[in-house]
Amino acid sequence: MQSSLSLSLSATSSSAATVSRSRHSFPVPAASPLNLRFCGLRREAFDSGLAASLKRQQSQLPRQPHSAAVSAALSANGSPPSSFDYDLLIIGAGVGGHGAALHAVEKGLKTAIVEGDVVGGTCVNRGCVPSKALLAVSGRMRELKSDHHLKSFGLQVSAAGYDRQGVADHANNLASKIRNNLTNSMKALGVDILTGFGTILGPQKVKVGPSNKIVTAKDIIIATGSVPFVPKGIEVDGKTVITSDHALKLESVPDWIAIVGSGYIGLEFSDVYTALGSEVTFVEALDQLMPGFDPEISKLAQRVLINPRNIDYHTGVFATKITPARDGKPVLIELIDAKTKEPKETLEVDAALIATGRAPFTQGLGLENIDVVTQRGFVPVDERMRVIDTNGKLVPHLFCIGDANGKMMLAHAASAQGISVVEQVTGRDHVLNHLSIPAACFTHPEISMVGLTEPQAREKGEKEGFEVSVAKTSFKANTKALAENEGEGLAKLIYRPDNGEILGVHIFGLHAADLIHEASNAIALGTRIQDIKFAVHAHPTLSEVLDELFKSAKVKAQASSPVSEPVAV
């Protein structure tokens, strides 16, 4: 969701210098490692800090034979009920829980969903939905403030301005509208919404607070999502040192803001803040910005999204301590070298946004009642989202989807996992191909991706003994992009020339987030390049960027036979 991205973590050291405000100075064996992939989070950095932050006991799953047995050690937790209140109970009414609930009703299951906060979860209320409202504003502001861009169209616009509260209201109103839509859609279909926090008491039993009502279900899905991850040493006051939850309220637009972490969250907020007039400084623990993206895309994106804008950056450094502004003093950010741990400098800024990724929200679920121990906070699951206990066995009738399992921390991945689980509990085996799930960063221009990066593909090819090829096309050759004066962009295809398998597609350019789905659907359906070359695209459209990309690939295999006879027109 997906390529993993960066995490700027804290460490322990003291400051050596001060920088002034001036910017110029089927079952998988339990032994298999969990394949955790994160949105805005790089795994190796994540591993170094989250365990301490969550204060959880880490557990390694014991080795098991290839066929995982269903756990029989449940007698201590009570026997499963003989009859059930519901066919399916979902703990968490975010995008993942909502998607699972709607599909369950479609399949004829009596369904309930438990929510201790508000319907919509992080994505709708504190994540992807309100952030897109802010990014819509930043995109328009950029266009209105770009004299060169407007003059190229023959347009003249007086000085552009904005009302901060009006922008904030736009984001809040959108979140409210989508939240109401989700709630109404579930109620209209007969999904029971149970208010309160859900705690698993034992097999197929959940206690729902505050009434402590006991609810039983044949199958249970955990879909509790995640919360912002704040590394040790960072003091969040919600005003001058904030997380994305606070930033989306847009209570202020600081003159100078440091963003700790250059993953999806950090990049999108840098787009918003610079469009609204802020100076931005990135603090990144790894040696380069956007390290989780395909390197070629990352390089181009930095040239367009970072270098020309009011942004500077510090890479290869940890923020060991961040102190909020108080008593007339600015926010202080103490930095050390990520490798040597030697003190670097101290930044003095007006505000700091902690964009170091997200941590699973799995505390208080009662997992101990079913002999399940989280790993770095994540609920261990197999490839079918079935929960695994401490003995490496499957917990009967219990699944976990979305950010809480850590496989791919994206809202639409959670929804896809939920739908996959419903397919299984209604009798159809289904394994979701996570490499077919796209991801996008909604900067201006946008970045999108699906599958493997070029280094990942070449490593896989070397290990498995196949050749890897790369094809590229530029937005500068696309008529629609040129008509929009948006020719800055690149599409990249990584594939196997022997059989035409698509290994990965990466796009940087106008509406990249929309364009990626042709590639992701091709991967999901197993469509090969030699077949997709014959697809017809309307002209002139941006979709022709993908058309040219697939046509430029050199595949040795021949096209498949048509599925059906040609239809005469």
Side-chain angles (χ1 to χ4, degrees), residues 174-205:
L174 178 63
S176 296
K177 182 176 182 179
I178 301 302
R179 180 170 60 248
N180 291 336
N181 288 347
L182 295 185
T183 303
N184 293 336
S185 66
M186 289 192 292
K187 287 182 177 179
L189 291 173
V191 176
D192 287 346
I193 302 176
L194 310 180
T195 302
F197 194 83
T199 302
I200 299 171
L201 297 180
Q204 300 165 298
K205 295 179 184 177

mmCIF file of all heavy atoms in Angstrom, residues 174-205:
data_model
loop_
_atom_site.group_PDB
_atom_site.id
_atom_site.type_symbol
_atom_site.label_atom_id
_atom_site.label_comp_id
_atom_site.label_asym_id
_atom_site.label_seq_id
_atom_site.Cartn_x
_atom_site.Cartn_y
_atom_site.Cartn_z
ATOM 1 N N LEU A 174 -17.109 17.437 4.521
ATOM 2 C CA LEU A 174 -16.972 16.245 3.675
ATOM 3 C C LEU A 174 -16.947 14.987 4.539
ATOM 4 O O LEU A 174 -17.620 13.995 4.226
ATOM 5 C CB LEU A 174 -15.702 16.337 2.835
ATOM 6 C CG LEU A 174 -15.415 15.122 1.944
ATOM 7 C CD1 LEU A 174 -16.514 14.929 0.903
ATOM 8 C CD2 LEU A 174 -14.053 15.250 1.269
ATOM 9 N N ALA A 175 -16.174 15.029 5.630
ATOM 10 C CA ALA A 175 -16.101 13.872 6.523
ATOM 11 C C ALA A 175 -17.483 13.545 7.098
ATOM 12 O O ALA A 175 -17.885 12.373 7.155
ATOM 13 C CB ALA A 175 -15.108 14.138 7.652
ATOM 14 N N SER A 176 -18.226 14.570 7.491
ATOM 15 C CA SER A 176 -19.568 14.353 8.042
ATOM 16 C C SER A 176 -20.496 13.733 7.006
ATOM 17 O O SER A 176 -21.275 12.822 7.314
ATOM 18 C CB SER A 176 -20.160 15.681 8.526
ATOM 19 O OG SER A 176 -19.403 16.213 9.589
ATOM 20 N N LYS A 177 -20.412 14.216 5.784
ATOM 21 C CA LYS A 177 -21.276 13.704 4.714
ATOM 22 C C LYS A 177 -20.985 12.229 4.430
ATOM 23 O O LYS A 177 -21.915 11.415 4.326
ATOM 24 C CB LYS A 177 -21.077 14.537 3.446
ATOM 25 C CG LYS A 177 -21.966 14.113 2.292
ATOM 26 C CD LYS A 177 -21.785 15.040 1.093
ATOM 27 C CE LYS A 177 -22.719 14.635 -0.051
ATOM 28 N NZ LYS A 177 -22.583 15.549 -1.216
ATOM 29 N N ILE A 178 -19.711 11.895 4.300
ATOM 30 C CA ILE A 178 -19.340 10.507 4.014
ATOM 31 C C ILE A 178 -19.687 9.613 5.202
ATOM 32 O O ILE A 178 -20.173 8.486 5.025
ATOM 33 C CB ILE A 178 -17.839 10.398 3.678
ATOM 34 C CG1 ILE A 178 -17.499 11.271 2.452
ATOM 35 C CG2 ILE A 178 -17.465 8.939 3.403
ATOM 36 C CD1 ILE A 178 -18.271 10.935 1.205
ATOM 37 N N ARG A 179 -19.479 10.105 6.419
ATOM 38 C CA ARG A 179 -19.814 9.331 7.612
ATOM 39 C C ARG A 179 -21.310 9.023 7.645
ATOM 40 O O ARG A 179 -21.716 7.891 7.921
ATOM 41 C CB ARG A 179 -19.410 10.115 8.862
ATOM 42 C CG ARG A 179 -19.725 9.381 10.163
ATOM 43 C CD ARG A 179 -19.080 10.076 11.356
ATOM 44 N NE ARG A 179 -19.534 11.448 11.525
ATOM 45 C CZ ARG A 179 -18.772 12.526 11.355
ATOM 46 N NH1 ARG A 179 -17.500 12.387 10.978
ATOM 47 N NH2 ARG A 179 -19.257 13.731 11.550
ATOM 48 N N ASN A 180 -22.121 10.009 7.351
ATOM 49 C CA ASN A 180 -23.575 9.800 7.320
ATOM 50 C C ASN A 180 -23.975 8.829 6.214
ATOM 51 O O ASN A 180 -24.875 8.004 6.382
ATOM 52 C CB ASN A 180 -24.294 11.129 7.132
ATOM 53 C CG ASN A 180 -24.182 12.024 8.357
ATOM 54 O OD1 ASN A 180 -23.981 11.544 9.463
ATOM 55 N ND2 ASN A 180 -24.298 13.328 8.157
ATOM 56 N N ASN A 181 -23.292 8.933 5.061
ATOM 57 C CA ASN A 181 -23.587 8.022 3.949
ATOM 58 C C ASN A 181 -23.308 6.568 4.348
ATOM 59 O O ASN A 181 -24.101 5.663 4.044
ATOM 60 C CB ASN A 181 -22.750 8.393 2.720
ATOM 61 C CG ASN A 181 -23.222 9.671 2.055
ATOM 62 O OD1 ASN A 181 -24.313 10.169 2.338
ATOM 63 N ND2 ASN A 181 -22.399 10.215 1.175
ATOM 64 N N LEU A 182 -22.163 6.349 5.015
ATOM 65 C CA LEU A 182 -21.816 4.992 5.436
ATOM 66 C C LEU A 182 -22.821 4.461 6.452
ATOM 67 O O LEU A 182 -23.275 3.310 6.367
ATOM 68 C CB LEU A 182 -20.414 4.970 6.052
ATOM 69 C CG LEU A 182 -19.229 5.307 5.146
ATOM 70 C CD1 LEU A 182 -17.922 5.125 5.892
ATOM 71 C CD2 LEU A 182 -19.221 4.448 3.893
ATOM 72 N N THR A 183 -23.178 5.309 7.417
ATOM 73 C CA THR A 183 -24.136 4.895 8.440
ATOM 74 C C THR A 183 -25.487 4.544 7.824
ATOM 75 O O THR A 183 -26.072 3.495 8.124
ATOM 76 C CB THR A 183 -24.323 6.022 9.474
ATOM 77 O OG1 THR A 183 -23.060 6.358 10.042
ATOM 78 C CG2 THR A 183 -25.273 5.589 10.583
ATOM 79 N N ASN A 184 -25.966 5.415 6.961
ATOM 80 C CA ASN A 184 -27.274 5.194 6.336
ATOM 81 C C ASN A 184 -27.286 3.971 5.440
ATOM 82 O O ASN A 184 -28.292 3.248 5.367
ATOM 83 C CB ASN A 184 -27.685 6.437 5.543
ATOM 84 C CG ASN A 184 -27.961 7.627 6.450
ATOM 85 O OD1 ASN A 184 -28.272 7.460 7.625
ATOM 86 N ND2 ASN A 184 -27.828 8.828 5.914
ATOM 87 N N SER A 185 -26.178 3.735 4.734
ATOM 88 C CA SER A 185 -26.122 2.573 3.836
ATOM 89 C C SER A 185 -26.222 1.274 4.624
ATOM 90 O O SER A 185 -26.886 0.329 4.204
ATOM 91 C CB SER A 185 -24.835 2.600 3.005
ATOM 92 O OG SER A 185 -23.688 2.430 3.827
ATOM 93 N N MET A 186 -25.571 1.223 5.791
ATOM 94 C CA MET A 186 -25.646 0.007 6.609
ATOM 95 C C MET A 186 -27.027 -0.163 7.235
ATOM 96 O O MET A 186 -27.582 -1.269 7.246
ATOM 97 C CB MET A 186 -24.557 0.037 7.685
ATOM 98 C CG MET A 186 -23.155 -0.158 7.129
ATOM 99 S SD MET A 186 -21.894 -0.467 8.392
ATOM 100 C CE MET A 186 -21.830 1.127 9.219
ATOM 101 N N LYS A 187 -27.592 0.923 7.735
ATOM 102 C CA LYS A 187 -28.925 0.835 8.332
ATOM 103 C C LYS A 187 -29.970 0.430 7.302
ATOM 104 O O LYS A 187 -30.872 -0.371 7.592
ATOM 105 C CB LYS A 187 -29.295 2.187 8.941
ATOM 106 C CG LYS A 187 -28.551 2.512 10.231
ATOM 107 C CD LYS A 187 -29.011 3.849 10.795
ATOM 108 C CE LYS A 187 -28.323 4.142 12.137
ATOM 109 N NZ LYS A 187 -28.753 5.455 12.679
ATOM 110 N N ALA A 188 -29.851 0.961 6.088
ATOM 111 C CA ALA A 188 -30.815 0.656 5.032
ATOM 112 C C ALA A 188 -30.791 -0.819 4.657
ATOM 113 O O ALA A 188 -31.821 -1.388 4.265
ATOM 114 C CB ALA A 188 -30.536 1.513 3.802
ATOM 115 N N LEU A 189 -29.632 -1.441 4.813
ATOM 116 C CA LEU A 189 -29.499 -2.857 4.462
ATOM 117 C C LEU A 189 -29.754 -3.780 5.640
ATOM 118 O O LEU A 189 -29.662 -5.001 5.514
ATOM 119 C CB LEU A 189 -28.092 -3.110 3.895
ATOM 120 C CG LEU A 189 -27.817 -2.487 2.516
ATOM 121 C CD1 LEU A 189 -26.351 -2.647 2.147
ATOM 122 C CD2 LEU A 189 -28.706 -3.112 1.454
ATOM 123 N N GLY A 190 -30.062 -3.210 6.798
ATOM 124 C CA GLY A 190 -30.389 -4.030 7.948
ATOM 125 C C GLY A 190 -29.217 -4.441 8.806
ATOM 126 O O GLY A 190 -29.346 -5.358 9.636
ATOM 127 N N VAL A 191 -28.062 -3.771 8.633
ATOM 128 C CA VAL A 191 -26.917 -4.054 9.499
ATOM 129 C C VAL A 191 -27.160 -3.391 10.852
ATOM 130 O O VAL A 191 -27.444 -2.195 10.918
ATOM 131 C CB VAL A 191 -25.608 -3.521 8.893
ATOM 132 C CG1 VAL A 191 -24.439 -3.731 9.850
ATOM 133 C CG2 VAL A 191 -25.327 -4.192 7.556
ATOM 134 N N ASP A 192 -27.059 -4.140 11.935
ATOM 135 C CA ASP A 192 -27.214 -3.578 13.268
ATOM 136 C C ASP A 192 -25.913 -2.888 13.675
ATOM 137 O O ASP A 192 -24.830 -3.493 13.606
ATOM 138 C CB ASP A 192 -27.548 -4.671 14.287
ATOM 139 C CG ASP A 192 -28.983 -5.176 14.147
ATOM 140 O OD1 ASP A 192 -29.778 -4.508 13.450
ATOM 141 O OD2 ASP A 192 -29.297 -6.232 14.722
ATOM 142 N N ILE A 193 -26.002 -1.623 14.084
ATOM 143 C CA ILE A 193 -24.835 -0.881 14.554
ATOM 144 C C ILE A 193 -24.877 -0.846 16.075
ATOM 145 O O ILE A 193 -25.764 -0.235 16.673
ATOM 146 C CB ILE A 193 -24.804 0.539 13.965
ATOM 147 C CG1 ILE A 193 -24.796 0.480 12.429
ATOM 148 C CG2 ILE A 193 -23.594 1.307 14.483
ATOM 149 C CD1 ILE A 193 -24.874 1.835 11.759
ATOM 150 N N LEU A 194 -23.943 -1.540 16.707
ATOM 151 C CA LEU A 194 -23.883 -1.639 18.161
ATOM 152 C C LEU A 194 -22.850 -0.653 18.682
ATOM 153 O O LEU A 194 -21.670 -0.716 18.309
ATOM 154 C CB LEU A 194 -23.522 -3.064 18.585
ATOM 155 C CG LEU A 194 -24.342 -4.194 17.937
ATOM 156 C CD1 LEU A 194 -23.863 -5.552 18.452
ATOM 157 C CD2 LEU A 194 -25.829 -4.010 18.210
ATOM 158 N N THR A 195 -23.291 0.266 19.520
ATOM 159 C CA THR A 195 -22.411 1.313 20.012
ATOM 160 C C THR A 195 -21.662 0.868 21.257
ATOM 161 O O THR A 195 -22.261 0.383 22.224
ATOM 162 C CB THR A 195 -23.216 2.582 20.324
ATOM 163 O OG1 THR A 195 -23.906 2.999 19.146
ATOM 164 C CG2 THR A 195 -22.302 3.699 20.794
ATOM 165 N N GLY A 196 -20.355 1.022 21.236
ATOM 166 C CA GLY A 196 -19.521 0.653 22.372
ATOM 167 C C GLY A 196 -18.279 -0.082 21.906
ATOM 168 O O GLY A 196 -18.182 -0.502 20.750
ATOM 169 N N PHE A 197 -17.322 -0.231 22.797
ATOM 170 C CA PHE A 197 -16.096 -0.931 22.457
ATOM 171 C C PHE A 197 -16.308 -2.433 22.562
ATOM 172 O O PHE A 197 -16.909 -2.910 23.525
ATOM 173 C CB PHE A 197 -14.961 -0.500 23.389
ATOM 174 C CG PHE A 197 -13.604 -0.905 22.908
ATOM 175 C CD1 PHE A 197 -12.924 -0.138 21.981
ATOM 176 C CD2 PHE A 197 -13.018 -2.080 23.359
ATOM 177 C CE1 PHE A 197 -11.681 -0.530 21.518
ATOM 178 C CE2 PHE A 197 -11.778 -2.470 22.909
ATOM 179 C CZ PHE A 197 -11.101 -1.691 21.981
ATOM 180 N N GLY A 198 -15.827 -3.176 21.592
ATOM 181 C CA GLY A 198 -15.998 -4.625 21.577
ATOM 182 C C GLY A 198 -14.814 -5.352 22.192
ATOM 183 O O GLY A 198 -13.667 -5.076 21.847
ATOM 184 N N THR A 199 -15.089 -6.264 23.104
ATOM 185 C CA THR A 199 -14.048 -7.071 23.739
ATOM 186 C C THR A 199 -14.390 -8.548 23.554
ATOM 187 O O THR A 199 -15.498 -8.985 23.895
ATOM 188 C CB THR A 199 -13.946 -6.774 25.242
ATOM 189 O OG1 THR A 199 -13.684 -5.390 25.430
ATOM 190 C CG2 THR A 199 -12.837 -7.597 25.885
ATOM 191 N N ILE A 200 -13.450 -9.307 23.019
ATOM 192 C CA ILE A 200 -13.666 -10.732 22.793
ATOM 193 C C ILE A 200 -13.553 -11.472 24.128
ATOM 194 O O ILE A 200 -12.529 -11.376 24.811
ATOM 195 C CB ILE A 200 -12.651 -11.278 21.773
ATOM 196 C CG1 ILE A 200 -12.819 -10.574 20.423
ATOM 197 C CG2 ILE A 200 -12.810 -12.792 21.613
ATOM 198 C CD1 ILE A 200 -11.723 -10.886 19.426
ATOM 199 N N LEU A 201 -14.610 -12.200 24.506
ATOM 200 C CA LEU A 201 -14.624 -12.933 25.762
ATOM 201 C C LEU A 201 -14.166 -14.376 25.596
ATOM 202 O O LEU A 201 -13.658 -14.986 26.540
ATOM 203 C CB LEU A 201 -16.037 -12.919 26.364
ATOM 204 C CG LEU A 201 -16.603 -11.550 26.751
ATOM 205 C CD1 LEU A 201 -18.000 -11.714 27.321
ATOM 206 C CD2 LEU A 201 -15.694 -10.852 27.759
ATOM 207 N N GLY A 202 -14.359 -14.911 24.421
ATOM 208 C CA GLY A 202 -14.022 -16.304 24.147
ATOM 209 C C GLY A 202 -14.502 -16.649 22.755
ATOM 210 O O GLY A 202 -14.820 -15.770 21.956
ATOM 211 N N PRO A 203 -14.566 -17.935 22.436
ATOM 212 C CA PRO A 203 -14.981 -18.333 21.093
ATOM 213 C C PRO A 203 -16.362 -17.783 20.741
ATOM 214 O O PRO A 203 -17.343 -18.047 21.444
ATOM 215 C CB PRO A 203 -14.998 -19.861 21.163
ATOM 216 C CG PRO A 203 -14.088 -20.200 22.295
ATOM 217 C CD PRO A 203 -14.247 -19.100 23.285
ATOM 218 N N GLN A 204 -16.399 -16.952 19.703
ATOM 219 C CA GLN A 204 -17.650 -16.462 19.124
ATOM 220 C C GLN A 204 -18.478 -15.624 20.096
ATOM 221 O O GLN A 204 -19.682 -15.489 19.936
ATOM 222 C CB GLN A 204 -18.470 -17.648 18.589
ATOM 223 C CG GLN A 204 -17.710 -18.428 17.513
ATOM 224 C CD GLN A 204 -18.297 -19.783 17.202
ATOM 225 O OE1 GLN A 204 -18.353 -20.641 18.078
ATOM 226 N NE2 GLN A 204 -18.758 -19.963 15.973
ATOM 227 N N LYS A 205 -17.818 -15.034 21.097
ATOM 228 C CA LYS A 205 -18.508 -14.190 22.073
ATOM 229 C C LYS A 205 -17.804 -12.845 22.205
ATOM 230 O O LYS A 205 -16.581 -12.792 22.348
ATOM 231 C CB LYS A 205 -18.536 -14.853 23.448
ATOM 232 C CG LYS A 205 -19.327 -16.142 23.531
ATOM 233 C CD LYS A 205 -19.247 -16.719 24.947
ATOM 234 C CE LYS A 205 -19.948 -18.065 25.039
ATOM 235 N NZ LYS A 205 -19.814 -18.658 26.408
#
